[in-house]
Amino acid sequence: MKKIILMLFSFIALITIFSTASVTAKPPLKKSSKKIIVIDPGHQQYANTDIEPIGPGAIKTKYKVTDGTHSPYTNKKESILTLEASKMLGNTLKKRGYKVIYTRTKQNVNISNRERANIANKSNADLFLRIHADGSINKKEKGFSILTTSSKNPYISKSVNKASLVISNEIIQKIEKNKKVKDIKGIIYRDDLSGANWSKVPGVLLELGYMTNKEEDKKLADPLYLKSLTKSIADGVDQYMKKK
Ligand SMILES: [Zn+2]
Protein backbone atom coordinates (compact mmCIF):
# COMPACT_ATOMS: atom_id res chain seq x y z
CA MET A 1 0.00 0.00 0.00
CA LYS A 2 2.85 2.34 0.99
CA LYS A 3 4.44 1.61 -2.35
CA ILE A 4 1.24 2.55 -4.22
CA ILE A 5 0.90 5.82 -2.29
CA LEU A 6 4.56 6.58 -2.98
CA MET A 7 4.06 5.88 -6.68
CA LEU A 8 0.97 8.08 -6.70
CA PHE A 9 2.92 10.90 -5.07
CA SER A 10 5.78 10.65 -7.53
CA PHE A 11 3.25 10.58 -10.35
CA ILE A 12 1.61 13.77 -9.07
CA ALA A 13 5.04 15.34 -8.56
CA LEU A 14 6.00 14.42 -12.10
CA ILE A 15 2.81 15.96 -13.52
CA THR A 16 3.43 19.10 -11.48
CA ILE A 17 6.99 19.38 -12.82
CA PHE A 18 5.82 18.82 -16.37
CA SER A 19 2.97 21.29 -16.16
CA THR A 20 5.25 23.94 -14.64
CA ALA A 21 7.86 23.13 -17.25
CA SER A 22 5.33 23.54 -20.02
CA VAL A 23 4.36 26.94 -18.60
CA THR A 24 7.93 28.20 -18.35
CA ALA A 25 8.83 26.68 -21.73
CA LYS A 26 6.17 28.76 -23.51
CA PRO A 27 7.77 30.92 -26.18
CA PRO A 28 7.69 34.67 -25.55
CA LEU A 29 4.73 36.48 -27.07
CA LYS A 30 5.39 36.99 -30.76
CA LYS A 31 5.25 40.46 -32.24
CA SER A 32 1.97 40.91 -34.11
CA SER A 33 2.27 39.46 -37.58
CA LYS A 34 -0.57 41.63 -38.83
CA LYS A 35 0.12 43.68 -41.94
CA ILE A 36 0.10 47.39 -41.19
CA ILE A 37 -1.90 49.78 -43.35
CA VAL A 38 -1.70 53.52 -42.79
CA ILE A 39 -4.74 55.38 -44.10
CA ASP A 40 -4.49 59.11 -44.70
CA PRO A 41 -7.84 60.91 -44.96
CA GLY A 42 -6.79 63.69 -47.32
CA HIS A 43 -6.70 67.35 -46.22
CA GLN A 44 -8.04 68.85 -42.98
CA GLN A 45 -10.43 71.57 -41.82
CA TYR A 46 -8.08 74.46 -42.52
CA ALA A 47 -5.18 74.70 -44.96
CA ASN A 48 -1.63 75.29 -43.79
CA THR A 49 -0.03 77.47 -46.45
CA ASP A 50 3.47 77.27 -45.02
CA ILE A 51 5.69 75.48 -47.49
CA GLU A 52 7.69 72.27 -47.49
CA PRO A 53 9.87 70.59 -50.16
CA ILE A 54 7.90 68.18 -52.36
CA GLY A 55 10.40 65.40 -51.64
CA PRO A 56 13.79 64.64 -50.06
CA GLY A 57 16.34 67.06 -51.54
CA ALA A 58 13.74 68.82 -53.69
CA ILE A 59 14.06 72.54 -54.51
CA LYS A 60 10.40 72.71 -55.52
CA THR A 61 8.07 73.40 -52.62
CA LYS A 62 4.34 73.14 -52.02
CA TYR A 63 1.84 74.16 -49.36
CA LYS A 64 2.11 71.90 -46.31
CA VAL A 65 -1.53 70.91 -46.70
CA THR A 66 -4.56 72.42 -48.40
CA ASP A 67 -8.20 72.21 -47.38
CA GLY A 68 -9.16 70.40 -50.59
CA THR A 69 -12.14 70.72 -52.86
CA HIS A 70 -15.80 70.85 -51.89
CA SER A 71 -19.22 70.08 -53.29
CA PRO A 72 -20.75 73.19 -54.88
CA TYR A 73 -24.15 71.50 -54.45
CA THR A 74 -24.08 70.69 -50.72
CA ASN A 75 -20.99 72.65 -49.60
CA LYS A 76 -19.54 69.45 -48.09
CA LYS A 77 -15.77 69.66 -47.74
CA GLU A 78 -13.48 67.05 -49.26
CA SER A 79 -11.81 66.63 -45.85
CA ILE A 80 -15.15 65.43 -44.39
CA LEU A 81 -15.77 62.97 -47.22
CA THR A 82 -12.24 61.57 -47.03
CA LEU A 83 -12.65 61.04 -43.28
CA GLU A 84 -15.94 59.15 -43.82
CA ALA A 85 -14.49 56.97 -46.58
CA SER A 86 -11.26 56.33 -44.65
CA LYS A 87 -13.13 55.09 -41.59
CA MET A 88 -15.24 52.75 -43.75
CA LEU A 89 -12.15 51.42 -45.49
CA GLY A 90 -10.29 51.10 -42.18
CA ASN A 91 -13.12 49.16 -40.54
CA THR A 92 -13.30 46.75 -43.47
CA LEU A 93 -9.53 46.21 -43.41
CA LYS A 94 -9.52 45.69 -39.62
CA LYS A 95 -12.21 43.01 -40.00
CA ARG A 96 -10.00 41.31 -42.55
CA GLY A 97 -7.12 41.11 -40.07
CA TYR A 98 -5.01 44.17 -40.90
CA LYS A 99 -3.66 46.64 -38.39
CA VAL A 100 -4.95 50.05 -39.41
CA ILE A 101 -3.38 53.36 -38.42
CA TYR A 102 -5.00 56.67 -39.39
CA THR A 103 -3.02 59.85 -39.89
CA ARG A 104 -6.03 61.73 -38.54
CA THR A 105 -9.45 60.84 -37.15
CA LYS A 106 -10.84 64.36 -36.84
CA GLN A 107 -11.12 67.57 -38.84
CA ASN A 108 -9.29 70.05 -36.64
CA VAL A 109 -5.68 68.90 -37.02
CA ASN A 110 -2.56 70.38 -38.57
CA ILE A 111 -0.55 67.65 -40.30
CA SER A 112 1.43 68.40 -43.45
CA ASN A 113 1.64 65.94 -46.34
CA ARG A 114 5.29 65.26 -45.50
CA GLU A 115 4.34 64.53 -41.89
CA ARG A 116 1.58 62.18 -43.08
CA ALA A 117 4.13 60.21 -45.10
CA ASN A 118 6.37 60.13 -42.02
CA ILE A 119 3.58 58.53 -40.01
CA ALA A 120 3.56 55.70 -42.58
CA ASN A 121 7.38 55.49 -42.47
CA LYS A 122 7.57 55.42 -38.68
CA SER A 123 4.80 52.83 -38.47
CA ASN A 124 6.83 50.63 -40.80
CA ALA A 125 3.63 50.30 -42.82
CA ASP A 126 3.17 47.65 -45.48
CA LEU A 127 0.94 50.07 -47.34
CA PHE A 128 0.12 53.79 -47.29
CA LEU A 129 -3.33 54.63 -48.68
CA ARG A 130 -4.20 58.26 -49.22
CA ILE A 131 -7.90 58.96 -49.66
CA HIS A 132 -9.03 61.98 -51.68
CA ALA A 133 -11.83 63.26 -53.89
CA ASP A 134 -11.44 65.37 -57.00
CA GLY A 135 -12.62 68.78 -58.05
CA SER A 136 -12.58 70.61 -61.38
CA ILE A 137 -13.76 73.86 -62.90
CA ASN A 138 -15.22 71.63 -65.62
CA LYS A 139 -18.34 70.29 -63.95
CA LYS A 140 -18.65 67.53 -66.53
CA GLU A 141 -15.38 65.96 -65.44
CA LYS A 142 -15.86 62.76 -63.43
CA GLY A 143 -14.38 59.37 -62.63
CA PHE A 144 -12.39 57.34 -60.14
CA SER A 145 -8.60 57.53 -60.48
CA ILE A 146 -5.44 56.37 -58.77
CA LEU A 147 -2.42 58.64 -58.55
CA THR A 148 0.89 56.85 -58.35
CA THR A 149 4.56 57.71 -58.84
CA SER A 150 6.23 57.22 -62.22
CA SER A 151 9.35 55.14 -62.85
CA LYS A 152 11.23 58.46 -63.23
CA ASN A 153 10.39 59.68 -59.73
CA PRO A 154 13.70 60.92 -58.22
CA TYR A 155 12.55 60.86 -54.58
CA ILE A 156 11.51 57.31 -53.90
CA SER A 157 13.19 53.93 -54.26
CA LYS A 158 12.67 51.75 -57.33
CA SER A 159 11.16 48.97 -55.22
CA VAL A 160 8.64 51.32 -53.59
CA ASN A 161 7.70 52.70 -56.99
CA LYS A 162 7.24 49.21 -58.42
CA ALA A 163 5.15 48.00 -55.49
CA SER A 164 2.99 51.15 -55.70
CA LEU A 165 2.21 50.36 -59.32
CA VAL A 166 1.29 46.78 -58.41
CA ILE A 167 -1.18 47.96 -55.76
CA SER A 168 -2.59 50.54 -58.21
CA ASN A 169 -3.29 47.77 -60.72
CA GLU A 170 -4.85 45.47 -58.14
CA ILE A 171 -7.22 48.18 -56.91
CA ILE A 172 -8.22 49.41 -60.36
CA GLN A 173 -9.04 45.84 -61.43
CA LYS A 174 -11.41 45.45 -58.47
CA ILE A 175 -12.98 48.87 -59.13
CA GLU A 176 -13.57 47.88 -62.76
CA LYS A 177 -15.52 44.85 -61.54
CA ASN A 178 -17.73 47.04 -59.33
CA LYS A 179 -20.88 47.71 -61.35
CA LYS A 180 -21.82 50.71 -59.19
CA VAL A 181 -18.76 52.62 -60.36
CA LYS A 182 -19.64 54.01 -63.77
CA ASP A 183 -16.67 56.18 -64.62
CA ILE A 184 -13.05 55.19 -64.19
CA LYS A 185 -10.18 57.40 -65.33
CA GLY A 186 -7.58 54.81 -64.37
CA ILE A 187 -4.00 55.17 -63.18
CA ILE A 188 -2.35 58.59 -63.45
CA TYR A 189 1.39 59.09 -62.88
CA ARG A 190 2.35 62.01 -60.65
CA ASP A 191 5.76 62.93 -59.25
CA ASP A 192 4.76 66.24 -57.63
CA LEU A 193 2.88 64.83 -54.63
CA SER A 194 4.71 65.45 -51.34
CA GLY A 195 2.79 62.69 -49.55
CA ALA A 196 4.05 60.11 -52.04
CA ASN A 197 7.57 61.50 -52.48
CA TRP A 198 8.38 61.49 -48.76
CA SER A 199 7.06 57.97 -48.35
CA LYS A 200 9.47 55.08 -47.85
CA VAL A 201 6.69 52.51 -48.09
CA PRO A 202 4.52 51.55 -51.08
CA GLY A 203 1.36 53.56 -51.45
CA VAL A 204 -1.17 55.22 -53.69
CA LEU A 205 -3.53 58.17 -53.68
CA LEU A 206 -7.13 57.24 -54.41
CA GLU A 207 -9.33 59.90 -55.98
CA LEU A 208 -12.79 58.52 -55.22
CA GLY A 209 -14.59 60.74 -57.70
CA TYR A 210 -15.46 64.36 -58.50
CA MET A 211 -17.34 66.39 -55.93
CA THR A 212 -17.77 69.08 -58.59
CA ASN A 213 -19.75 66.69 -60.82
CA LYS A 214 -23.38 66.65 -59.67
CA GLU A 215 -24.01 62.98 -60.42
CA GLU A 216 -20.79 61.74 -58.84
CA ASP A 217 -21.08 64.04 -55.83
CA LYS A 218 -24.53 62.56 -55.12
CA LYS A 219 -23.10 59.04 -55.29
CA LEU A 220 -20.20 59.94 -52.99
CA ALA A 221 -22.70 61.33 -50.46
CA ASP A 222 -24.46 57.94 -50.36
CA PRO A 223 -23.00 55.70 -47.59
CA LEU A 224 -24.00 52.56 -49.53
CA TYR A 225 -21.99 53.69 -52.54
CA LEU A 226 -19.00 54.60 -50.35
CA LYS A 227 -19.23 51.23 -48.63
CA SER A 228 -19.20 49.43 -51.97
CA LEU A 229 -16.34 51.56 -53.28
CA THR A 230 -14.20 51.03 -50.17
CA LYS A 231 -14.95 47.29 -50.25
CA SER A 232 -13.51 47.13 -53.79
CA ILE A 233 -10.42 49.00 -52.57
CA ALA A 234 -10.04 46.50 -49.70
CA ASP A 235 -10.40 43.63 -52.20
CA GLY A 236 -7.51 45.15 -54.18
CA VAL A 237 -5.45 45.40 -50.99
CA ASP A 238 -6.14 41.72 -50.21
CA GLN A 239 -5.03 40.73 -53.69
CA TYR A 240 -1.82 42.76 -53.35
CA MET A 241 -1.00 41.26 -49.92
CA LYS A 242 -1.58 37.73 -51.22
CA LYS A 243 1.11 38.21 -53.84
CA LYS A 244 3.63 39.77 -51.45
ZN1 LIG B 1 -7.56 66.07 -52.31
Side-chain angles (χ1 to χ4, degrees), residues 30-82:
K30 259 207 231 159
K31 201 181 151 267
S32 168
S33 57
K34 281 184 178 182
K35 298 275 187 209
I36 302 165
I37 300 177
V38 170
I39 301 179
D40 176 33
H43 309 280
Q44 57 195 32
Q45 190 165 15
Y46 304 111
N48 179 348
T49 54
D50 290 344
I51 54 167
E52 65 186 3
I54 64 161
I59 296 161
K60 200 177 166 198
T61 57
K62 254 184 162 181
Y63 290 147
K64 284 195 165 181
V65 60
T66 60
D67 62 347
T69 187
H70 73 281
S71 161
Y73 315 102
T74 65
N75 259 333
K76 184 174 180 172
K77 283 171 86 88
E78 180 186 346
S79 55
I80 298 265
L81 173 63
T82 60

